[in-house]
């Protein structure tokens, strides 16, 4: 499904193979099919496949890539339970799916590969060292 919405380099593919599904968000060059409204008119798109049974079932049943937001507003603390999510998004969303408390309690690691070199935009549970090791394999 990633190939439907984004270009994938050899290095990015290594990271996908190693860490998907899991707490990694990759910033990839988007394809024209991705509307600018989803990317704030940027040429890139964040791609993630969470290791969450509910999310994986939604992806499987829909048979298409899903455009979703994080469980927090950009720049704010990560929400790890339904109560804090509802409080932060009060009257801003129509539905919530409660999958229980987050197992890791921190956001995904966000990586962008530029000129074959990984740049960590936010370190989460996957460390810079793990990213570098995966690219060397």
């Amino acid at each position: 499904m990633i190939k439907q919405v984004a270009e994938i380099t050899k290095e990015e593919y290594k990271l996908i193979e190693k860490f998907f599904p899991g707490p990694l968000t990759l910033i990839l060059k988007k394809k024209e099919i991705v509307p600018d409204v989803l990317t704030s008119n940027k040429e890139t798109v964040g791609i993630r496949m969470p290791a969450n049974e509910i999310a994986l079932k939604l992806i499987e049943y829909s048979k298409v890539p899903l455009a979703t937001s994080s469980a927090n507003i950009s720049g704010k603390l990560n929400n790890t339970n339904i109560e804090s999510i509802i409080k932060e998004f009060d009257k801003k969303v129509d539905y919530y799916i409660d999958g229980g408390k987050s197992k890791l309690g921190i956001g995904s690691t966000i990586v962008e590969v530029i000129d074959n070199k990984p740049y960590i935009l936010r370190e989460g549970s996957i460390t810079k060292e793990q990213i570098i090791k995966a690219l060397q394999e």
Side-chain angles (χ1 to χ4, degrees), residues 16-123:
I16 290 166
E17 286 287 298
K18 177 74 174 179
F19 299 110
F20 277 22
L24 177 70
T25 300
L26 280 174
I27 306 301
L28 303 175
K29 182 176 179 0
K30 75 174 185 174
K31 290 188 175 177
E32 285 193 29
I33 193 171
V34 179
D36 288 339
V37 69
L38 291 179
T39 63
S40 300
N41 296 315
K42 294 181 181 176
E43 296 299 314
T44 57
V45 61
I47 301 292
R48 175 143 188 252
M49 178 168 258
N52 174 281
E53 186 177 336
I54 294 171
L56 293 174
K57 286 291 184 190
L58 285 171
I59 294 165
E60 178 185 345
Y61 294 151
S62 69
K63 296 181 176 30
V64 296
L66 300 179
T68 66
S69 78
S70 298
N72 66 301
I73 295 173
S74 182
K76 298 215 176 178
L77 293 176
N78 294 319
N79 290 310
T80 58
N81 61 63
I82 193 69
E83 292 82 13
S84 62
I85 293 168
I86 290 171
K87 184 177 177 182
E88 183 166 342
F89 286 94
D90 184 41
K91 297 183 177 114
K92 293 179 181 144
V93 298
D94 294 322
Y95 300 98
Y96 300 92
I97 298 174
D98 185 358
K101 187 173 165 102
S102 169
K103 291 178 180 150
L104 298 175
I106 60 174
S108 64
T109 299
I110 302 174
V111 177
E112 185 170 12
V113 178
I114 302 172
D115 295 327
N116 304 323
K117 183 177 177 185
Y119 291 87
I120 311 297
L121 306 179
R122 178 181 75 193
E123 191 168 312

